[in-house]
Amino acid sequence: MDVIGKSVPRKESPDKVTGRAKYTGDSMETGLLHARMAASPYAHARIVKVDTSHAWGIQGVRAIITGDFCDVLTGEEIRDRPILAKDKVRYFGETVAVVVADSEVSAKRAADAIHIQYDPLPVVNSPAAAIEKNAPLVHENMMSYEKAIGVASIPGTNIPSLIKIRKGDMEQGWRECGTIIENTVSFAPSDHSAMETRSALAEISPDGRIHIETSSQAPFAVKKYMGLYFNIEQGRIRVKTPLVGGGYGGKAAIQLELIAYLASKAVGGRKVKIVNTREEDMVTSPAHIGLEARVKLGCTDEGKIRAAEIVYLFDGGAYCDKSSDVARAAAADCTGPYAIEHLHCDCYTVYTNHPYATAYRGYGHAELTFAMERALDVLAEKAGLDPLELRLRNAVVPGNTSPTRNVLTASNLGNLQACIGRLRILAEWDDWKIKTIDSHKIRAKGISCCWKNSSMDPNASSGAVISFNADASVNVESGVVEIGTGTKTVLAQMVAERMKMAPEHVHVRIRVNTMITPEHWKTVASRGTFMAGRAVLEAADDAIAQLLRIAACVLRTDPEELELGYGKIYVKADPSIHIKVKDICYGYTYPSGNSIGGQIIGRGSYMQSRMTYLDPHTGEGRPGPEWNVAAQAVEVELDTREYRYKILKAISVIDAGKVLNPKGAEGQVMGAMSMGLGFAGRESFLFDGQGVVLNASLRDYTLIRYGEHPDYVVEFVETPCVEAPFGARALGEHGLIGMPAALASALSRAAGVRLNELPLIPELIWRLKAGMPHDSD
């Protein structure tokens, strides 16, 4: 192949590195109004009174809206969330009122001047507390909410969703086990920390049409749900998205768009802009889900895992939104990439008084992987087995079945054993696992394995349009949002490969406009390359067929006798007989003036087939097209005096199916690895006893900084997925998924204690080493 497999520079890079790139928050124009929010300082409280009298005294204020302005309930899985809190607040940072003013300064001053009287209520501050018998109810009327298919709530509780996975015979499984262990893990919600904070603009034209511009990963979902929530014809809603400065799942949620729309409605349809501050982005907008989990595993004397009993308690926060779907995705892959015949898993989504959860890179899989991999390390220790050997003996292979009882094949699975084998060499696992450097420094390694199904909607679709320019270059339109993944560059490579042309002659439109751009479900789940790739290849084939038909008329032959390539259409048997593409891509004119054809416009679409909803009582169903696998390792150096540590090396070996753009793929995986190590080692919300987030700023919420990164090693195995474009598998999330587990494994080995709680800060290691309880507050 001439283009696929080559490191092609990203299409949007020149604009980004020169500062020409425009993001939603950069939008400015005359007459633009600004909105700012007044947020709750309580995690759970009744709203007694909202006094806006002082706020109206601020010059430039145009409107002030509260929960009384709109009774609509929102949420993709459960319609449980008011756009603005009404009657009571359910998490610290929840929006109670919005001010619209001539300037952002005036709006902020007015928002701060709103006096809100609260009556505090008991706080549900953890998943374990949420399921206690007499726990305060976060939602008293949960059973009255409208729910999506497959959402099974438990009345009178804080459990909006329970998904059960049942497979095999548990009694038989335990009888076959010579070694049985049980392990628990936990971590609190955290932030996505995208460089660009969320933002949105809304305007309502005189004819009632709604115009939204948003920093969203899912502009077509914004259009869909705004139509559903407000009973508006979707054709009257236009959503535009430019470049997005990182999303990681957090910008798939629909929140600020709804606030901006209400704000515009309150001022007669004028355009209103709202941009989160960093603090608002962290606690007012949705967060990364938390988890408490218990895993019981048993294996034979030969190290074959026969039974698993798993309980996942996902911290969905104050509203369900997407958290029950994250839990469903985790339930579907609950065992990790291991062949376990006898399985019992209960996966709960629970309401707490924490910021509500949404998608996060890995979509429940970094979470389940941490729980499973920590349990595997305990099992290996008790059974006296090498941790890598235990994983290798139990790695899924073609012919095994998934927890959802789907038969796995080389195409829909990949080759985990090959990934583990290569990791063994790269990590030098057999040479050493732990060694002393000097009197107070120890180095150690940890490993993990992971897999991920896309868990997308069964009716998710993607479309593409290819149009020719008169110079024979082409334009590609796809609804994929460029969030930093380089997907649109990969789509250009696919078109260039299929049409045998240079990638620089393929022009990709970056901005998405739902009025004219073919729909792409959402830019999530590592589905851009798979779904949009299938669509653009179909569009390319459509355009090629049109070219061949016109060329056949001109060259007086059958289309089947012709071939496209290198700017020409030629006769296969005699390439000297040809016509240039630029002479027919806008139609062909004979010497007499008679003309045929017209501009070549190819169209393509793709919808994933053979997917089904999961049965919430048994877990049976087909959650997605393929399970993709990876093996990872981390090497650390621990100072035993202060329990500080350095991450020296991080390794990922991923079955990519086919690497389409090597440098792009490597960058994606490295970025994901960094994100996974940050989540594992330092990123977490700190809640006080009343559910207040104590570190809602980047001064206190610590990210990995320049100079702190380890040596990243990335390699790929290539086992093609026959359904995917050119065999390429998902890989944008896999670099993150196993990093927390691998880091915990390495540090546990170095410190000589079991580390089952995130983040892995020195204080946690010190307390556990000293035998003291760790107070996460």
Side-chain angles (χ1 to χ4, degrees), residues 513-537:
N513 181 337
T514 60
M515 279 191 70
I516 59 175
T517 307
E519 180 164 345
H520 179 77
W521 168 61
K522 297 177 183 178
T523 306
V524 298
S526 298
R527 291 293 84 186
T529 296
F530 189 103
M531 294 175 61
R534 288 285 297 264
V536 299
L537 289 177

Side-chain angles (χ1 to χ4, degrees), residues 395-591:
V396 284
V397 296
N400 294 147
T401 59
S402 72
T404 51
R405 308 188 194 182
N406 303 121
V407 177
L408 301 171
T409 67
S411 173
N412 69 21
L413 177 63
N415 192 336
L416 179 59
Q417 292 174 318
C419 293
I420 295 174
R422 187 59 188 152
L423 182 79
R424 180 176 230 146
I425 295 170
L426 293 173
E428 299 176 329
W429 181 259
D430 293 331
D431 295 343
W432 63 274
K433 300 167 187 61
I434 182 170
K435 64 181 179 182
T436 301
I437 302 303
D438 56 33
S439 60
H440 56 269
K441 287 183 180 178
I442 296 174
R443 287 187 183 177
K445 301 170 186 174
I447 57 170
S448 67
C449 296
C450 65
W451 69 349
K452 183 182 185 297
N453 198 300
S454 65
S455 306
M456 60 189 182
D457 290 353
N459 62 347
S461 64
S462 185
V465 172
I466 292 175
S467 59
F468 268 87
N469 300 307
D471 60 358
S473 65
V474 298
N475 310 307
V476 177
E477 281 271 6
S478 166
V480 171
V481 177
E482 186 48 73
I483 57 175
T485 58
T487 304
K488 292 208 166 181
T489 301
V490 169
L491 296 181
Q493 288 181 259
M494 291 184 188
V495 172
E497 186 68 51
R498 183 59 61 91
M499 304 187 82
K500 294 186 177 69
M501 60 193 301
E504 54 265 28
H505 295 155
V506 181
H507 310 296
V508 183
R509 180 177 171 84
I510 298 297
R511 293 179 67 91
V512 172
N513 181 337
T514 60
M515 279 191 70
I516 59 175
T517 307
E519 180 164 345
H520 179 77
W521 168 61
K522 297 177 183 178
T523 306
V524 298
S526 298
R527 291 293 84 186
T529 296
F530 189 103
M531 294 175 61
R534 288 285 297 264
V536 299
L537 289 177
E538 184 176 287
D541 289 341
D542 184 26
I544 291 169
Q546 295 177 52
L547 286 170
L548 296 182
R549 284 196 297 269
I550 296 175
C553 292
V554 177
L555 299 176
R556 301 182 183 278
T557 186
D558 291 329
E560 291 79 10
E561 302 298 325
L562 300 175
E563 186 80 31
L564 166 68
Y566 316 106
K568 301 175 183 178
I569 295 177
Y570 52 88
V571 176
K572 297 177 186 177
D574 186 358
S576 66
I577 303 173
H578 66 268
I579 187 168
K580 292 181 178 179
V581 173
K582 70 182 183 64
D583 292 336
I584 61 172
C585 63
Y586 262 61
Y588 180 77
T589 301
Y590 290 95

Side-chain angles (χ1 to χ4, degrees), residues 338-408:
Y338 304 107
I340 304 177
E341 185 175 345
H342 307 289
L343 171 64
H344 184 295
C345 175
D346 288 337
C347 190
Y348 296 85
T349 304
V350 298
Y351 284 130
T352 65
N353 292 120
H354 291 164
Y356 70 99
T358 189
Y360 180 90
R361 196 173 192 173
Y363 208 66
H365 287 73
E367 295 78 11
L368 79 87
T369 299
F370 182 70
M372 283 299 299
E373 293 294 309
R374 296 305 300 128
L376 256 76
D377 273 3
V378 175
L379 182 63
E381 181 182 348
K382 186 172 182 181
L385 294 170
D386 181 283
L388 188 145
E389 192 61 36
L390 177 65
R391 288 164 171 83
L392 190 59
R393 292 181 189 182
N394 292 281
V396 284
V397 296
N400 294 147
T401 59
S402 72
T404 51
R405 308 188 194 182
N406 303 121
V407 177
L408 301 171

